[in-house]
Amino acid sequence: MGLLAPLNPPLPAWPEARVWVIGASTGIGAATARALLAAGARVALSARSADKLRDVAGAHANALVVPLDFTDTNAVTAAWGHLQAQWQGVDLVLIVAGTHKEMRAWELNEADSRALLEINLHGPVNTTGAVMPGLLAQGHGAIGIVASVAGYGGLPKALIYGASKAALINFTESLYLDLHPKGLGVYLVMPGFVKTPLTDRNDFAMPNLISADEAAHAILTGLRAGDFEIHFPKAFTRKLKFLRLLPYRLYFALIRKATGL
Ligand SMILES: NC(=O)c1ccc[n+]([C@@H]2O[C@H](COP(=O)([O-])OP(=O)(O)OC[C@H]3O[C@@H](n4cnc5c(N)ncnc54)[C@H](OP(=O)(O)O)[C@@H]3O)[C@@H](O)[C@H]2O)c1
């Protein structure tokens, strides 16, 4: 493979592509589903809120609304079967769904930790496991997982959220190593701050905040380029990538200075 070659096999042109977006009812997932529909793709939209999914799908003939809870293996397996019956194949499973709850060391508790890990880690892992036999049987197609730059390194207020995303980064890297030789694509999506219902809860100034539509544009561009890691906005993510290379003494000092925490 050439040094500058894309890390992933090409996806079909959008008008030929069949994409399943899980977490499509609000925020980044909804904006990405809308952008894919506008580009001509066939899009299945999943999340728990059926009414919101129907709003995002609108009157698009190419949209399929498939409500589910992605922590429920049977529901994901049944939805995969439904998509196979409708489309005879899936080109990309994009797992966007996730949640967030601020937590500092002195707020650590089992109930909140388990609830966060159930959605942010077990949800994507469970969904990947449920679609894996089908993707391998197809012999083509791709899986994309939305983690977060909060997974690059420890941050205050992100005690369990950051840990769940760090685990997802590692999980997705391992998936790439296993699945690339089998001809399957694997994408790791790493947003910085994006204005969505999830971040509307934050009580601090979010540097380099972008809109969900800008995030969707960056995701579609990265998918089309065949990038493994799709990180955005670059002005923010490049700084964090640099920070994680530093010795801890410097890393901790700079994070404290930046957050005031
Ligand atoms: N916004 C940011 O700044 C930012 C930054 C870095 C990473 N991220 C990540 O980007 C992803 C999307 O976040 P967002 O900001 O767009 O948040 P959001 O607007 O709250 O969207 C979260 C989506 O996940 C779905 N979801 C949650 N639990 C689910 C479950 N059990 N089963 C199925 N779907 C479920 C929600 O739908 P229902 O509630 O209808 O199920 C919704 O569609 C998350 O993984 C988040 O961690 C966001």
Side-chain angles (χ1 to χ4, degrees):
M1 193 202 325
L3 267 185
L4 296 176
L7 286 175
N8 278 305
L11 288 164
W14 295 129
E16 275 86 57
R18 299 154 295 181
V19 185
W20 185 12
V21 182
I22 300 170
S25 62
T26 59
I28 298 170
T32 304
R34 281 199 197 92
L36 286 165
L37 284 167
R42 280 181 275 174
V43 181
L45 300 96
S46 290
R48 293 163 301 184
S49 316
D51 48 345
K52 289 186 192 155
L53 292 175
R54 279 192 288 271
D55 283 351
V56 177
H60 261 286
N62 279 347
L64 270 179
V65 170
V66 187
L68 55 73
D69 182 332
F70 79 152
T71 63
D72 175 352
T73 311
N74 292 335
V76 178
T77 305
W80 175 265
H82 177 61
L83 294 189
Q84 289 294 334
Q86 293 286 317
W87 290 346
Q88 288 77 50
V90 176
D91 300 296
L92 172 65
V93 180
L94 191 59
I95 306 173
V96 190
T99 189
H100 180 253
K101 185 175 172 65
E102 272 185 21
M103 205 188 289
R104 304 211 67 187
W106 43 90
E107 294 162 338
L108 182 59
N109 69 87
E110 184 176 351
D112 286 341
S113 303
R114 280 190 189 276
L116 254 178
L117 290 170
E118 179 65 8
I119 291 187
N120 282 4
L121 184 56
H122 292 141
V125 168
N126 173 68
T127 303
T128 302
V131 303
M132 188 63 65
L135 280 179
L136 289 169
Q138 280 186 175
H140 65 87
I143 186 151
I145 295 184
V146 177
S148 166
V149 293
Y152 281 152
L155 295 170
K157 292 193 173 184
L159 195 62
I160 301 299
Y161 179 79
S164 72
K165 296 299 187 178
L168 271 191
I169 293 170
N170 194 296
F171 174 72
T172 311
E173 290 168 351
S174 295
L175 276 183
Y176 182 87
L177 289 167
D178 284 347
L179 296 181
H180 183 70
K182 299 196 178 298
L184 301 181
V186 178
Y187 299 88
L188 173 66
V189 180
M190 298 287 280
F193 287 113
V194 182
K195 185 170 169 37
T196 68
L198 192 121
T199 48
D200 285 344
R201 305 198 290 250
N202 287 346
D203 60 359
F204 53 89
M206 291 176 271
N208 302 90
L209 183 70
I210 59 170
S211 70
D213 286 338
E214 289 173 296
H217 178 74
I219 291 172
L220 265 64
T221 304
L223 291 169
R224 186 51 57 213
D227 294 341
F228 168 70
E229 188 190 14
I230 303 172
H231 62 98
F232 53 85
K234 298 272 194 290
F236 184 57
T237 53
R238 284 197 178 122
K239 278 183 222 156
L240 290 178
K241 278 174 170 294
F242 172 70
L243 279 180
R244 76 175 170 159
L245 300 175
L246 298 175
Y248 279 123
R249 184 180 299 279
L250 267 174
Y251 175 79
F252 290 142
L254 289 170
I255 293 291
R256 276 200 201 294
K257 189 163 186 283
T259 61
L261 293 167

